[in-house]
Amino acid sequence: MLSSRLLPGIIALSFIALLIGGAFVGLGVEATKDPTGALAAFDSYLFRIARFTLWQAVLSTMLSILPAIAVARALSRHPSFFGRGLILKLFAVPLALPAIVAALGILALFGRAGYFAGIASTVTGSPWTGIYGLSGILVAHVFFNLPLATRLFLEALQTVPADQWRLASQLGMGARSTFRLVEWPVLRAAIPGIAGLVFMLCVTSFTIVLVLGGGPRATTIEVAIYQALRFDFDPARAVALTATQIALTVVMIAMLSRLGADTTGDANLSVARKGYVSVPPGERVANMLIIALALCFVAAPLAAIVLAGLQADLARLFSEATVWRATRTSIVLAVSSAMLAAVLALALVVARRTLELARPRGTRLPLLERMTDSGVGFVLVVPPIVIGAGWFILLRTTVDVFTVAPVMVVTVNAVMAMPFALRALRPAYDTASERHERLCAQLGIAGWNRLRLVDWPVLRRPLATAFAFAVALSLGDLGVIALFGSDAVQTLPYLLLSRMGSYRTEDAAGLALMLGLLCLMLIMAADWLGRETSHER
Amino acid sequence: MRSLFLPLVSATMLLAGPALAQDKLTVYTYESFTAEWGPGPQVKKAFEAECSCAVDFVSVADGVALLSRLKLEGASTKADIVLGLDTNLSAEAKATGLFAPHGKASAPVEIPGGWNDDTFLPYDYGYFAVVYDTETLKTPPKSLKELVEGDATQKIVIQDPRTSTPGLGLVLWVKAVYGDKAGDAWAKLKDRVLTVTPGWSEAYGLFTKGEAPMVLSYTTSPAYHMIAENSEKYQAASFEEGHYLQVEVAGITTTGAKNPLAAEFMDFMLSPKFQDIIPETNWMLPAAATDKPLNPAFDKLVKPSKPLLILSEDVAANRKAWVDEWLAVMSR
């Protein structure tokens, strides 16, 4: 019985290992033709950019994670107020935007010609020079990651059993004690995973760092990898740089994981009604203020993007067959990737929990269990262009690379979205397992019946969250097909960049608006499918 | 798993176009060439009418990706023609040994400074230029020297030579004008640079959003705004020292040498039928005679008195060193 819960996870792991390993084999073979680049990669330049990469990523992570905890907590204290659902949906949209669109949205506010430039000039007394430099990079990274982290922390907070809320309320606990005794343990367990995700997203940042960084002082290792593969075509160097990027991230994540702590779950079935929280008026005001601030920060650049989009000739764009084709392609690719991502993540979450149950408490984590959780997260620091180029080399002699381009896009996007889906699913699954494991064992519920009757009702909502993030991430990404001919995968962001690349900036703004709306619609669909049905308590 | 697998398979089948079996010419090029507003669709139609064959365009992101793609495929490439490299890449492309001589004794090429290359033939050209916003910049720099030494509060957006061709173009432009003093010039210019973007689109996007009054682009950029948007707001600044030339070229691969259509296409490329299409689709200048006169907007463009071009072989030999020099100064 154990193996049937373990097997899908092992298959998922093998699949991911094959995708990443295959790419390295492909590039490795090519690299042996001229391996000198690998050693030459380790120079003072690499040292300098590695330092900058880590520095900006650490700062970005801290600035995203700390406020996200406050926002998630505020949102969890108020489980129903007007617009809450929309806020949560909006919080997934930044991920779907190509970096340059987000950068332009942020610059529309804080740039030299931004809305705030006039005020800033008056306040400082000298012409506003924009946020180019480290500050610009940080603002953009927080724009992407604060909403992401908020939703993932909220997902963790929602695993707190309703009984605990009721108890806290009955004991007359104030906000501080509730936080310390009820919320903090769950949050603390979630911090390393979520911070790790955000950290990796910031480590691999490319366009944001160059555009807002103000010059090549601000350069990440990712830029060097792109340079090595695109301009210099030096696979050995690319492999060496990617390995460095992974090694540095592993070290940082290992340090991060010390922040966390394993929690003991609550094995009792919950009897209280959901949403049993009473919030004193003073805290209510503070919470609403926190939520409003976060909303402004995320929604203002989005509003700038919408305003710019409305200037475009939307009627003409809507009547273009190309636009519709790209929309359709985007939907097919993003939904396929998101489904694959959710399945992969679920298989891994189940396998991890199974391994944990089989292991005596207090023993060290075995490698396999690590791999099913934080291990697979490291796929995020393998640049898509590396995976694309590696597989291109492997496939070029055997199959028509054009026909596999869509499969490549779906697979790589799914694997890149999987760590997010994993973070969304794991708290809910682990909590449910803690509560239901013995009951299921006693009643002999296993396999399909267990999934349908016991796990599915609990996993519906987090699966919808996982799916929403996976869709958003897959909608925006393009890196993998840089070298494959890409006529078959003309997605909306692709069309957007191509219009931008031929003077049609207004069209590009219009397409950005459409992309954001499409993302919102797909997320709404996912939420609707994942809604909690009324007979549930 | 089935519910997951089906969309994947159907996506693949839907998106992969059908293969053609008749006489076929495969042309590798960059995406803006094959975009629906680009020259690709018209070129395909015109050549297919002439050759009774099928033209199959395969497009990758840009000229640099084109070369990488070719290196990845090696001698087994399906490309008959590679169209879209520029003179800064052509020596490196030739060194791969994947190109065959074009075999034309005299091609009707009209390029400033003439043309003498047995492998590649040009299909269009343009000059790099600083494009400025006439509404915010009343006195644009009149020379590269004025740009380098001018008011540092008037910013320019440039592209990164590590990731973009115009970015490399500016490095070569400064090199062609300043030679050994290029490093010092960059040290001064650095303060005027608002930011360095990964590609042309991002830089031009920032410029049109009003973030900076100047951007590195082409002398032909204003033609787009004049013809398509009926606006004279954006103009190119004419520089005394001359402008750096970018010549876009095509070559026949060793695979294409066996396909008679390849040589036919190269002739077609330099004929008026192809050249007429170029100016208002690729927004570059034709590399050979056209039948139709160019749109009058092209007469208003900056006409550099002196084209600057560093030999392709010298670029290939020194590109890394020059980019590193740029990087060292700009990272200070």
Side-chain angles (χ1 to χ4, degrees), chain A residues 136-360:
Chain A
I137 297 174
L138 295 180
V139 168
H141 283 168
V142 175
F143 169 73
F144 277 111
N145 295 312
L146 168 77
L148 164 77
T150 301
R151 282 210 50 177
L152 292 176
F153 277 125
L154 189 60
E155 210 53 62
L157 280 174
Q158 274 160 350
T159 62
V160 173
D163 287 346
Q164 284 194 16
W165 291 117
R166 190 169 67 170
L167 198 61
S169 165
Q170 281 166 345
L171 292 173
M173 280 191 200
R176 188 179 292 182
S177 339
T178 318
F179 180 72
R180 194 164 58 86
L181 296 169
V182 181
E183 292 159 335
W184 175 241
V186 191
L187 289 170
R188 187 171 168 196
I191 286 177
I194 299 172
L197 271 190
V198 172
F199 180 79
M200 288 193 269
L201 279 183
C202 299
V203 160
T204 54
S205 189
F206 176 77
T207 305
I208 289 287
V209 168
L210 282 184
V211 170
L212 295 174
R217 251 187 323 270
T219 294
T220 50
I221 303 177
E222 190 91 352
V223 176
I225 297 173
Y226 267 76
Q227 183 192 3
L229 268 184
R230 270 174 52 83
F231 234 108
D232 304 337
F233 194 67
D234 187 344
R237 187 179 165 89
V239 169
L241 290 170
T242 309
T244 310
Q245 178 160 302
I246 296 173
L248 287 173
T249 314
V250 168
V251 172
M252 294 302 288
I253 301 280
M255 278 155 65
L256 254 177
S257 68
R258 287 169 170 265
L259 289 177
D262 268 338
T263 46
T264 324
D266 180 353
N268 299 314
L269 289 172
S270 198
V271 289
R273 200 168 52 81
K274 279 202 173 163
Y276 196 94
V277 192
S278 71
V279 184
E283 197 203 328
R284 178 178 296 269
V285 173
N287 285 344
M288 285 304 154
L289 205 63
I290 291 173
I291 296 172
L293 272 176
L295 181 63
C296 282
F297 184 75
V298 177
L302 289 180
I305 293 166
V306 170
L307 281 180
L310 291 174
Q311 313 269 309
D313 190 348
L314 288 172
R316 177 177 52 75
L317 280 178
F318 269 115
S319 68
E320 283 183 29
T322 329
V323 172
W324 285 108
R325 212 164 37 238
T327 309
R328 208 162 49 226
T329 310
S330 278
I331 295 175
V332 171
L333 292 181
V335 170
S336 311
S337 321
M339 283 191 335
L340 183 55
V343 170
L344 284 173
L346 185 60
L348 289 167
V349 165
V350 173
R352 194 210 70 85
R353 178 66 185 159
T354 311
L355 288 167
E356 188 185 40
L357 286 172
R359 167 172 62 91

Side-chain angles (χ1 to χ4, degrees), chain A residues 6-21 343-345 347-349 351-352 355 367-377 379 415 418:
Chain A
L6 210 49
L7 190 65
I10 304 236
I11 294 174
L13 261 187
S14 319
F15 177 76
I16 295 160
L18 180 73
L19 184 77
I20 306 294
V343 170
L344 284 173
L348 289 167
V349 165
R352 194 210 70 85
L355 288 167
L367 182 69
L368 189 60
E369 192 180 326
R370 264 174 212 272
M371 283 311 293
T372 51
D373 189 46
S374 45
V376 287
V379 296
V415 169
M418 171 272 303

